[in-house]
Amino acid sequence: MTNKHLNVVCAVVRDGDKILCTQRCRSKKPYVSEHWEFPGGQIEPGESPEAALIREIKEEMDWDIYVGKQLGSVEHEYPDFSITLTAFDCIARNKDFKLLEHLDAKWLTVDELSSLNWTEADRKLIELMTSKWSK
């Protein structure tokens, strides 16, 4: 059986040396339920990654962000789907967002990111970005 493949974008929203981390809601999939992630979502057919990210952040957080350069991309196989997760460097004019699809949010430094229980794809992305940031 072929697993469904998802193309997903996420926002690495920075404020000074802090990065926004969001906690997923409880779900039937224990490997992502209540895990932490960078906010974002799936790219719809015909949509650019940047447009998808702006739309997803507006839908999930009622928040307007500026999408900058691509930071990196990772592949991951979950039990019932595979994912290509692409991160973009993002800036927000304010911190006035609502958690419409998440349980919690935290602003953490790069060094504090490992203290959270991340989804596997986001954890891979953090490893990729941390190796670039430390150079």
Side-chain angles (χ1 to χ4, degrees):
M1 183 179 104
T2 339
N3 285 342
K4 187 163 108 174
H5 185 80
L6 306 176
N7 287 306
V8 177
V9 285
C10 65
V12 177
V13 183
R14 294 192 286 175
D15 181 37
D17 67 340
K18 304 273 189 177
I19 298 171
L20 180 65
C21 312
T22 54
Q23 187 178 24
R24 294 177 63 98
C25 287
R26 193 168 290 122
S27 79
K28 292 181 177 131
K29 297 179 173 134
Y31 50 87
V32 293
S33 179
E34 297 184 40
H35 285 58
W36 289 81
E37 66 178 2
F38 296 112
Q42 290 183 50
I43 302 171
E44 300 291 338
E47 195 174 39
S48 74
E50 294 84 354
L53 194 50
I54 289 167
R55 176 186 52 75
E56 285 284 350
I57 298 299
K58 188 69 176 168
E59 288 173 6
E60 293 184 359
M61 303 174 82
D62 191 22
W63 202 29
D64 295 313
I65 59 166
Y66 168 77
V67 179
K69 68 177 183 171
Q70 183 177 319
L71 293 173
S73 191
V74 296
E75 305 273 334
H76 186 72
E77 293 272 342
Y78 286 106
D80 55 352
F81 67 95
S82 63
I83 182 174
T84 300
L85 179 62
T86 304
F88 286 86
D89 194 11
C90 296
I91 299 170
R93 289 186 184 84
N94 58 51
K95 291 184 182 178
D96 191 22
F97 58 84
K98 299 175 183 82
L99 294 176
L100 304 173
E101 306 257 334
H102 293 92
L103 291 176
D104 197 4
K106 293 182 181 192
W107 291 90
L108 299 178
T109 64
V110 171
D111 294 337
E112 295 170 323
L113 295 178
S114 62
S115 67
L116 300 178
N117 184 20
W118 291 89
T119 66
E120 282 302 308
D122 286 83
R123 190 184 55 72
K124 282 183 175 178
L125 204 50
I126 290 167
E127 287 174 10
L128 175 72
M129 292 185 303
T130 306
S131 67
K132 288 182 178 179
W133 286 334
S134 59
K135 287 179 183 168

